[in-house]
């Protein structure tokens, strides 16, 4: 199966969008791996769902294919993109990420996610294996979405949005006080998930 870069066929704007999306995906997958390493069953599923519900629209936006970006297109252009998405079988391009879509995604990565839950019960090594499986599952789902976005952009001859300014973005500081009634760790995890 060709990689996203190969699917871009040398288009510099697509390649730049792929690279930005992969950096974003890498950060989110690391956060997912950290949540998977926690020995609390179910926490990683919630973290994965939260990460995917934010990650998918962010990746789509890199290609100009988020729901809000498509809503700004003319009716004929939007219909062309939607037909291209249907033709390539892109599940999440230009759609609101709902619980049903997340369940569909989970089915695609079902074996990895099930194995990740099973490893939680093995002390120490289980958490490490769970973290690796969590990272791999998110990377796989994210890479598939990147490929779908590339295929749709190519099929619809969609013009990508201008890349962000080349200047280095300032680092955001984490807020130190945790929200009332929550532990400091939970507040930090929520801030990381928002990125």
């Amino acid at each position: 199966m060709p990689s996203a870069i190969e699917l871009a066929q040398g288009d510099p704007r697509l390649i730049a969008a792929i690279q930005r999306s992969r950096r974003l995906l890498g950060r989110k997958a690391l956060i997912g791996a950290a949540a998977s390493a926690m020995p609390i069953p179910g926490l990683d599923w919630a973290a994965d769902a939260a990460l995917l519900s934010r990650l998918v629209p962010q990746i789509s936006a890199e290609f100009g294919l988020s729901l809000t970006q498509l809503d700004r297109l003319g009716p004929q252009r939007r219909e062309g993109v939607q037909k291209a998405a249907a033709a390539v079988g892109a599940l999440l391009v230009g759609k609101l990420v709902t619980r049903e879509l997340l369940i569909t995604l989970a089915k695609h990565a079902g074996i990895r996610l099930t194995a990740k839950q099973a490893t939680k019960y093995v002390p120490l090594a289980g958490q490490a294996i769970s973290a690796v499986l969590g990272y791999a599952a998110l990377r796989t789902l994210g890479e598939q979405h990147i490929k779908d976005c590339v295929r749709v952009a190519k099929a619809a001859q969609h013009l990508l949005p201008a890349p962000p300014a080349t200047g280095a973005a300032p680092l955001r500081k984490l807020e130190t006080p945790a929200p009332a009634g929550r532990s400091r760790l939970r507040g930090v995890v929520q801030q990381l998930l928002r990125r």
Side-chain angles (χ1 to χ4, degrees):
M1 182 171 284
S3 71
I5 297 289
E6 292 168 348
L7 290 171
Q9 298 174 338
D11 184 331
R13 290 187 86 168
L14 277 176
I15 291 171
I18 291 166
Q19 290 169 340
R20 288 190 307 271
S21 297
R22 283 183 173 165
R23 280 192 298 273
L24 177 65
L25 175 58
R27 287 193 306 267
K28 298 292 184 176
L30 284 174
I31 294 169
S36 295
M38 298 290 183
I40 304 166
L43 174 68
D44 52 342
W45 283 80
D48 288 348
L51 286 168
L52 283 171
S53 68
R54 288 181 179 91
L55 177 66
V56 168
Q58 289 173 333
I59 290 174
S60 295
E62 290 293 338
F63 293 90
L65 297 170
S66 72
L67 184 62
T68 55
Q69 290 168 319
L70 292 180
D71 283 343
R72 286 186 237 139
L73 296 176
Q76 289 180 327
R77 191 81 186 120
R78 182 175 46 244
E79 185 179 336
V81 171
Q82 290 170 341
K83 284 181 181 178
V88 300
L91 288 174
L92 302 172
V93 171
K95 295 186 179 153
L96 182 65
V97 179
T98 62
R99 180 182 172 166
E100 290 76 25
L101 283 174
L102 288 174
I103 290 170
T104 302
L105 276 179
K107 287 178 184 175
H108 285 291
I111 295 171
R112 283 189 180 133
L113 295 174
T114 303
K116 183 172 73 164
Q117 285 298 311
T119 60
K120 293 244 182 230
Y121 299 103
V122 178
L124 297 178
Q127 280 79 29
I129 293 168
S130 182
V132 168
L133 289 173
Y135 180 85
L138 276 175
R139 284 298 294 212
T140 301
L141 292 172
E143 270 300 318
Q144 184 58 48
H145 184 59
I146 291 170
K147 289 178 187 178
D148 287 348
C149 288
V150 171
R151 285 188 191 105
V152 170
K154 296 283 289 178
Q157 298 175 347
H158 183 63
L159 296 175
L160 273 65
T166 56
L171 294 175
R172 294 190 318 183
K173 283 179 68 176
L174 291 176
E175 299 168 12
T176 33
R182 296 183 183 158
S183 71
R184 179 177 160 85
L185 177 62
R186 185 173 180 190
V188 169
V189 168
Q190 285 181 343
Q191 287 177 6
L192 289 173
L193 290 174
R194 278 186 244 143
R195 287 187 174 185

